[in-house]
Amino acid sequence: MMKQATIYSIAHALDVSASTVSRAFSRPDLVKPEVRERVLATAQELGYAPNRAARGLATGRTGLYGLLVPDVTNPFFPPLIRAIQQAAATVDAGVLLVDSEGSGAAETALVGRIKAQVDGLLVASPRLATAKLKEALGAVPSVVINRAAQGLATVVCDNTEALWGAAAHLHELGHRRFALMRGPSASWAAGRRAHAIRSWAQEAGVSLAELGPYEAMFVDGRRAAAQLVESRATAVFAFDDLMAAGVIAGLSELGETVPRDRSIIGCDDVLLARTMTPGLTTVTAPLEELGRRSVMALHGLLERRPVPNVQLQGILTVRGTTGPPP
């Protein structure tokens, strides 16, 4: 019967020390890339799998990153979750996912429940006020995604310039009456997007009707279609793609067609935006980069390195839901 592979048998096969093999799994940043690759390849050949529990006892780490999202059913989050999982794998970490279902109180409870089980936390689009969020996180290394939070490491996507470009695109098409469908009141992204559109409308001297706030849900956009018609706006900025899709469905029920009767622009460029008919004009968020940079920031905190805040930029993607006003 073949003996079970150990770090010592791998070390013997490669003529390196057992501590080097151990570090290749527990502290890969301390091992030269070529040596780590040889260790991993030999471990696979010999059928060796590191014992995460034993590693935790030796290093004081669990090998898990906690990830808190506000709504796993919102199409913005699945590609972000996947990007985070893929990035975490490159630093030999797993991801423990929890969903607060849009509740700030649940965020506090969930953080308290999982922070002792993970090495650090990634908190995406939290609804808690910054002071309460910092209190909940305590001393656990944490990175906040898609939300500015003073005193915490953050990775955000600022869509201001892209939204200005979207507004200019609509203006060039001839629109002069605009509507802004605001997102959740506790959402930092909703506040930033609303501010961007307001500032552009004021500078351009055009009419802007503000509707909402609404939850980032298809059904909320659908119900809001009647209010939109009453506003007489010919061009609409929806908080996100899911809300925009709901608005288009609601307008259809009222006998209107997009973009013949009204133009609409979403935000985020989730899969829905690219597969609906007509395709949704929207602001494309760099979700893969958002996930990767968030994981690298948390990894840096765990390695006690200085971690600067990161600000990424969205870009305008023009598709079929924008056209001249009727």
Side-chain angles (χ1 to χ4, degrees):
M1 184 175 179
M2 184 179 292
K3 292 179 64 177
Q4 184 175 1
T6 66
I7 61 171
Y8 300 101
S9 58
I10 296 170
H12 179 74
L14 295 174
D15 195 22
V16 297
S17 69
S19 60
T20 296
V21 176
S22 177
R23 280 194 297 271
F25 291 104
S26 63
R27 295 293 302 276
D29 54 300
L30 299 181
V31 180
K32 292 180 179 179
E34 60 270 22
V35 175
R36 173 170 160 75
E37 288 175 10
R38 289 171 57 210
V39 169
L40 294 179
T42 303
Q44 186 172 10
E45 288 174 11
L46 298 178
Y48 172 78
N51 185 314
R52 193 174 288 278
R55 186 198 312 175
L57 290 173
T59 65
R61 294 189 181 178
T62 65
L64 281 176
Y65 293 171
L67 171 58
L68 175 65
V69 299
D71 181 7
V72 76
T73 66
N74 185 302
F76 176 85
F77 291 105
L80 178 64
I81 293 167
R82 174 173 288 182
I84 287 170
Q85 284 187 160
Q86 291 173 342
T90 67
V91 292
D92 198 27
V95 177
L96 175 60
L97 174 67
V98 288
D99 178 2
S100 69
E101 300 181 23
S103 165
E107 287 178 348
T108 300
L110 289 167
V111 167
R113 189 178 302 164
I114 71 169
K115 66 182 182 180
Q117 305 173 43
V118 297
D119 297 328
L121 280 166
L122 298 162
V123 186
S125 305
R127 301 293 175 86
L128 279 174
T130 299
K132 290 186 176 180
L133 179 62
K134 291 171 73 172
E135 182 181 350
L137 293 171
V140 65
S142 303
V143 175
V144 180
I145 306 170
N146 211 31
R147 153 87 177 274
Q150 190 171 7
L152 293 170
T154 59
V155 180
V156 304
C157 180
D158 185 3
N159 293 316
T160 298
E161 289 189 17
L163 287 169
W164 286 346
H169 164 66
L170 290 168
H171 196 267
E172 288 169 5
L173 288 170
H175 294 276
R176 297 297 182 267
R177 297 185 65 89
F178 296 81
L180 167 63
M181 306 189 71
R182 291 179 291 143
S185 57
S187 166
W188 175 85
R192 290 287 296 175
R193 294 173 191 182
H195 181 266
I197 297 302
R198 285 191 203 109
S199 62
W200 175 85
Q202 185 174 6
E203 186 173 326
V206 298
S207 169
L208 179 67
E210 293 197 29
L211 309 176
Y214 306 105
E215 287 303 310
M217 298 175 67
F218 179 91
V219 67
D220 277 38
R222 189 174 185 175
R223 290 170 180 164
Q227 287 181 275
L228 177 58
V229 171
E230 290 175 7
S231 76
R232 299 175 60 199
T234 61
V236 188
F237 299 96
F239 165 66
D240 68 359
D241 299 335
L242 190 59
M243 185 186 291
V247 171
I248 292 171
L251 290 174
S252 178
E253 292 169 356
L254 297 172
E256 292 199 356
T257 300
V258 173
R260 183 194 67 192
D261 298 299
R262 290 174 214 279
S263 291
I264 188 162
I265 290 179
C267 204
D268 295 332
D269 201 10
V270 300
L271 180 61
L272 173 67
R274 302 190 293 274
T275 55
M276 60 190 290
T277 303
L280 183 66
T281 298
T282 188
V283 172
T284 301
L287 291 178
E288 288 188 13
E289 186 70 359
L290 196 65
R292 187 186 72 81
R293 295 290 290 271
S294 300
V295 168
M296 292 304 104
L298 182 55
H299 183 63
L301 288 177
L302 291 168
E303 298 301 318
R304 302 184 183 279
R305 297 197 300 266
V307 175
N309 290 335
V310 177
Q311 182 169 289
L312 306 175
Q313 301 290 331
I315 59 171
L316 174 64
T317 300
V318 177
R319 296 195 182 100
T321 58
T322 48

